[in-house]
Amino acid sequence: MKNKKIKIKIKIKFPTFLRTLELFSVSMASCAVVFASALFFDQKKPEENGQGGYESPGIPLTAEITENSAEMVSSISYKSYRVRPGDMISFIASDFGITEDTIISVNNIHNSRQLQIGQFLKIPSIPGILYTVRENGETVQTVAAKFKVESEKICGVNHISEENSFTAGTMLFVPDAKLDWITRQEINGDLFKKPIHAHWYLSSSFGWRKSPFTDARTYHGGVDMACSQGTRIYAALPGKVTSRGYNNTYGNYVIIKHHSGYKTLYAHMSEIKAKQGDYVGQDTVIGYVGSTGLSTGPHLHFSVFKNGKQVNPANLWN
């Protein structure tokens, strides 16, 4: 008897199969949504009472930073910033979270009002100032005491130990330090008061000019403030009158010695009122405008010397 092969044909209607698969997929997706929703809504919503954070025992496993830790300032980085129209040092300092003193010191700015558009500034990552050691033998402790900052921070930034001593000319970055009042006044142009309080005009500025007498190119070491004969002249900064007299070039003149290495010269006076040895203030009349000496008309020639070197008075007054 021969085996007979029985063939069974199962007919599957293809549209019905797709429909079944679609229903199954939808069911599974629905289950997933329900399960996820249950997990989400099962969490208790905290009350809005200004509290937060999940409690956990022990101290968090993070690096601890204390005020006295040199690690706080163990590194310093610099960015480059290009000055844009309308920029002021105060605005730039605020944007970078540092002080005006920091930008002034690090970039050796002598006049804060003369920022140039397009000028590049170095911006340190922390506030402080660059300090140049003035005398041999200064130490971390003496520098810290001078600026009233922590010695550990100075060591951290400069990668030195507290036993270090320095030679004159050494430069240190002193975190959190500020410029002294006199330096700030110099840089901001607020240290001196104009010696003429009445109306005047600038008849000759500081620097190279054509001589009004010879037409030759000569150096003018001050500013000429033209005004009426007899106008009162005041001391530009408190100080002591160290010299007064007559000179063929300057006519009647007065020299005053001030703090921080400054001296001022007032020339071409019609009359001198201050006496040698007098201590004068910014409201003290020291003489009157005239045209004595080498002069073309009534004016005050005003010169400023810093440690013996002539500087532009216009950079020092408001």
Side-chain angles (χ1 to χ4, degrees):
M1 185 176 176
K2 296 181 179 180
N3 293 329
K4 294 183 179 180
K5 293 181 180 180
I6 301 174
K7 295 182 180 179
I8 300 175
K9 294 183 179 181
I10 300 174
K11 294 183 179 181
I12 298 176
K13 295 182 179 180
F14 196 73
T16 304
F17 173 76
L18 288 179
R19 179 62 178 166
T20 302
L21 183 60
E22 181 181 0
L23 291 173
F24 177 79
S25 299
V26 171
S27 298
M28 292 300 293
S30 299
C31 290
V33 171
V34 172
F35 181 73
S37 300
L39 288 175
F40 180 83
F41 289 108
D42 186 56
Q43 298 181 14
K44 183 180 178 181
K45 185 178 181 180
E47 297 180 12
E48 294 184 5
N49 57 8
Q51 301 176 355
Y54 288 104
E55 292 74 22
S56 60
I59 299 175
L61 298 177
T62 57
E64 184 178 358
I65 298 177
T66 64
E67 288 186 0
N68 294 325
S69 174
E71 295 299 323
M72 291 181 65
V73 289
S74 61
S75 63
I76 181 172
S77 59
Y78 291 85
K79 294 181 180 178
S80 180
Y81 177 79
R82 190 173 188 181
V83 176
R84 296 174 294 185
D87 270 343
M88 296 178 65
I89 290 179
S90 58
F91 298 160
I92 300 170
S94 178
D95 288 343
F96 285 96
I98 55 178
T99 65
E100 294 179 52
D101 289 0
T102 305
I103 295 177
I104 289 170
S105 171
V106 169
N107 293 279
N108 197 27
I109 294 173
H110 297 290
N111 190 331
S112 61
R113 298 174 184 173
Q114 293 184 346
L115 279 184
Q116 301 294 321
I117 296 173
Q119 175 183 351
F120 284 94
L121 299 176
K122 288 175 63 178
I123 308 295
S125 55
I126 58 175
I129 66 170
L130 277 179
Y131 170 66
T132 302
V133 174
R134 297 178 181 177
E135 298 179 0
N136 292 333
E138 287 192 53
T139 65
V140 173
Q141 288 78 16
T142 59
V143 174
K146 178 182 178 70
F147 293 101
K148 298 180 181 179
V149 300
E150 298 175 14
S151 58
E152 293 88 349
K153 291 186 177 182
I154 298 176
C155 293
V157 165
N158 297 282
H159 304 291
I160 56 179
S161 68
E162 295 203 27
E163 288 72 33
N164 276 67
S165 62
F166 312 109
T167 57
T170 302
M171 295 189 70
L172 301 170
F173 187 90
V174 185
D176 300 331
K178 297 179 180 179
L179 296 172
D180 62 87
W181 179 83
I182 292 173
T183 302
R184 281 293 302 272
Q185 295 295 97
E186 287 176 339
I187 292 168
N188 291 333
D190 296 324
L191 183 61
F192 285 79
K193 192 173 182 179
K194 296 181 181 72
I196 300 293
H197 297 181
H199 176 73
W200 63 275
Y201 68 90
L202 184 67
S203 56
S204 186
S205 57
F206 178 87
W208 291 98
R209 68 173 184 178
K210 185 171 72 172
S211 170
F213 305 100
T214 65
D215 286 339
R217 187 171 183 263
T218 56
Y219 190 81
H220 189 226
V223 293
D224 287 345
M225 306 171 71
C227 50
S228 301
Q229 178 89 5
T231 300
R232 294 175 179 176
I233 301 170
Y234 297 84
L237 194 68
K240 179 181 178 180
V241 177
T242 58
S243 180
R244 52 163 281 172
Y246 182 86
N247 177 280
N248 289 334
T249 300
Y250 291 124
N252 294 321
Y253 71 90
V254 168
I255 296 176
I256 302 175
K257 182 179 180 180
H258 313 280
H259 58 69
S260 306
Y262 280 107
K263 284 186 179 181
T264 49
L265 164 69
Y266 310 77
H268 306 303
M269 293 180 176
S270 61
E271 180 186 348
I272 299 173
K273 186 175 181 181
K275 295 180 175 60
Q276 189 164 339
D278 282 354
Y279 286 91
V280 295
Q282 290 175 304
D283 294 323
T284 303
V285 177
I286 60 173
Y288 302 91
V289 170
S291 187
T292 57
L294 198 61
S295 171
T296 61
H299 74 283
L300 169 67
H301 172 91
F302 177 58
S303 290
V304 177
F305 301 84
K306 171 74 171 181
N307 296 324
K309 181 181 178 181
Q310 290 179 323
V311 295
N312 189 349
N315 292 336
L316 298 169
W317 65 35
N318 192 327

